[in-house]
Amino acid sequence: MTATLSETTLNAPVDVRFTAAGTPLAVRYDGRVWAVAAEPLHWFTRDSWWETRRTAARGSGDLVSIEHWRIQVRLGTSTSALRTFHLRRDPLSQQWVLESITDS
């Protein structure tokens, strides 16, 4: 028998609470608070600015760095099964987006 992962693509806006060190602590999604239960993974990718044709005034900031976090979470303080959230924040945005959820 082969185990398969179930992944749901959402692109839903979420609220993320961070520790003082800047790592995710909890995510509010769909009226529930999901607590981070394992060490998160953090990285950046680059926006394809030549396709989006975004322009900006000199000195307006970083227009190409897309921030990502992959976190394992569970509901509140429960012992529910872990789920993996992929969070994304686009350049110059303050809004985090829950890109996908994977059952892990």
Side-chain angles (χ1 to χ4, degrees):
M1 185 157 122
T2 304
T4 59
L5 293 178
S6 170
E7 182 173 13
T8 304
T9 303
L10 301 166
N11 291 320
V14 293
D15 295 321
V16 182
R17 173 172 272 174
F18 290 89
T19 66
T23 58
L25 182 63
V27 176
R28 180 179 300 276
Y29 165 65
D30 199 26
R32 296 177 171 180
V33 175
W34 295 82
V36 175
E39 188 67 30
L41 178 63
H42 186 222
W43 74 96
F44 290 86
T45 58
R46 298 289 184 199
D47 185 29
S48 52
W49 57 268
W50 58 91
E51 292 175 2
T52 60
R53 304 281 186 220
R54 267 191 257 187
T55 59
R58 177 176 286 194
S60 62
D62 183 351
L63 299 176
V64 296
S65 295
I66 302 169
E67 188 173 5
H68 300 267
W69 285 96
R70 181 170 293 138
I71 56 176
Q72 288 191 303
V73 296
R74 61 174 37 115
L75 277 175
T77 58
S78 73
T79 58
S80 65
L82 288 174
R83 300 183 91 184
T84 302
F85 283 10
H86 179 182
L87 305 173
R88 182 189 80 239
R89 187 175 64 162
D90 292 327
L92 301 178
S93 175
Q94 296 301 312
Q95 179 64 60
W96 284 95
V97 173
L98 177 56
E99 192 168 274
S100 65
I101 298 174
T102 306
D103 293 328
S104 41

